[in-house]
Amino acid sequence: MDGIGSGGGAAEPPPFVRKLQQGFIVYRYYLDKTTPHAVPRWVGTLVLALIYAIRVFYVQGFYIIAYALGIYILNLLIGFLSPLVDPESEGGAGDGPLLPTKGNDEFKPFIRRLPEFKFWYSVTKAFAIAFVMTFFSAFDIPVFWPILLCYWFVLFVLTMKRQIAHMMKYKYIPFSLGKQRYGGKKGSGGRGFMTTDFRCLASSFSMLAKPRDYLHAKRG
């Protein structure tokens, strides 16, 4: 009874759990720091994909894992190229295009159903998991890999054909190149553009605090 009454609040987790939680927060801290660096992130993912391909080629197996990995990445790619709000579910073509088609139209940036950072993170994590699975013989299911490769290519062509038809039907492009400026002085437009870039760069460098400060901010 005394032990129950003297607690006052929730019991603290064991030291191992606390270390694990702190390690996860530090991991998230450094992961968030990579958000503005898209090119280095994708270069690292390509290196990981190349290592995985060399591993599969060297062992001459685990083709079923490679096929499942390809299907998963294809599904992620469709989410990356699709708009957040599907025009078919919002009333069809009567709602008009998602992006402006004239110079005097209101600027509407393309909002993805799967953001670029989540797309990169999911692809990288999938390659890492698939690479680890190649070290376990239980996942080496014997299959005839040319059939799987042909089936994946057919599925890729049909899926991309349907996606391109959807883009042409609703007149949108899955990339935002920035808002176009009409009229005005070139000097002022250039200064505004550089000011925006400087603010983005400053916000990126503002995350260079210590992980301990980031941990306190998360708790707060």
Side-chain angles (χ1 to χ4, degrees):
M1 296 296 293
D2 295 338
I4 297 177
S6 61
E12 294 185 359
F16 172 76
V17 177
R18 290 200 304 267
K19 292 293 183 181
L20 191 62
Q21 292 175 350
Q22 293 177 1
F24 178 76
I25 292 177
V26 172
Y27 164 75
R28 291 297 305 180
Y29 164 76
Y30 286 108
L31 183 64
D32 293 340
K33 284 180 61 177
T34 63
T35 302
H37 308 290
V39 175
R41 285 193 280 106
W42 282 106
V43 169
T45 302
L46 291 178
V47 172
L48 179 61
L50 180 61
I51 294 175
Y52 170 75
I54 294 176
R55 168 66 180 173
V56 173
F57 178 78
Y58 177 76
V59 299
Q60 295 293 317
F62 300 96
Y63 300 118
I64 193 66
I65 296 178
Y67 174 74
L69 178 63
I71 295 297
Y72 179 71
I73 293 178
L74 180 60
N75 186 30
L76 293 176
L77 180 62
I78 295 302
F80 178 73
L81 298 177
S82 301
L84 178 63
V85 179
D86 191 355
E88 292 183 353
S89 62
E90 293 294 328
D95 292 343
L98 297 178
L99 295 179
T101 57
K102 299 180 181 179
N104 56 356
D105 287 347
E106 181 183 359
F107 176 73
K108 298 179 181 179
F110 182 80
I111 302 177
R112 306 180 187 278
R113 189 173 65 189
L114 182 65
E116 182 271 335
F117 183 80
K118 292 185 177 179
F119 176 55
W120 165 81
Y121 183 71
S122 300
V123 170
T124 306
K125 185 170 60 174
F127 271 110
I129 294 175
F131 179 75
V132 173
M133 292 176 66
T134 57
F135 292 93
F136 298 92
S137 59
F139 299 105
D140 189 10
I141 302 176
V143 292
F144 188 59
W145 66 267
I147 296 296
L148 294 180
L149 184 62
C150 293
Y151 183 74
W152 185 87
F153 270 112
V154 170
L155 186 62
F156 175 79
V157 171
L158 294 179
T159 304
M160 295 307 299
K161 181 180 179 181
R162 183 179 60 181
Q163 184 68 24
I164 293 175
H166 189 271
M167 293 165 53
M168 296 178 62
K169 179 179 179 181
Y170 295 102
K171 300 181 177 64
Y172 69 90
I173 301 176
F175 300 100
S176 296
L177 301 179
K179 183 176 181 179
Q180 296 182 356
R181 299 179 182 271
Y182 300 94
K185 297 181 180 180
K186 296 182 179 179
S188 61
R191 286 195 298 268
F193 178 77
M194 293 190 67
T195 303
T196 304
D197 285 351
F198 179 77
R199 289 177 180 176
C200 294
L201 184 61
S203 63
S204 300
F205 279 103
S206 65
M207 298 184 62
L208 295 179
K210 296 181 180 180
R212 184 176 301 175
D213 298 336
Y214 184 78
L215 176 61
H216 292 327
K218 286 287 185 178
R219 291 179 177 176

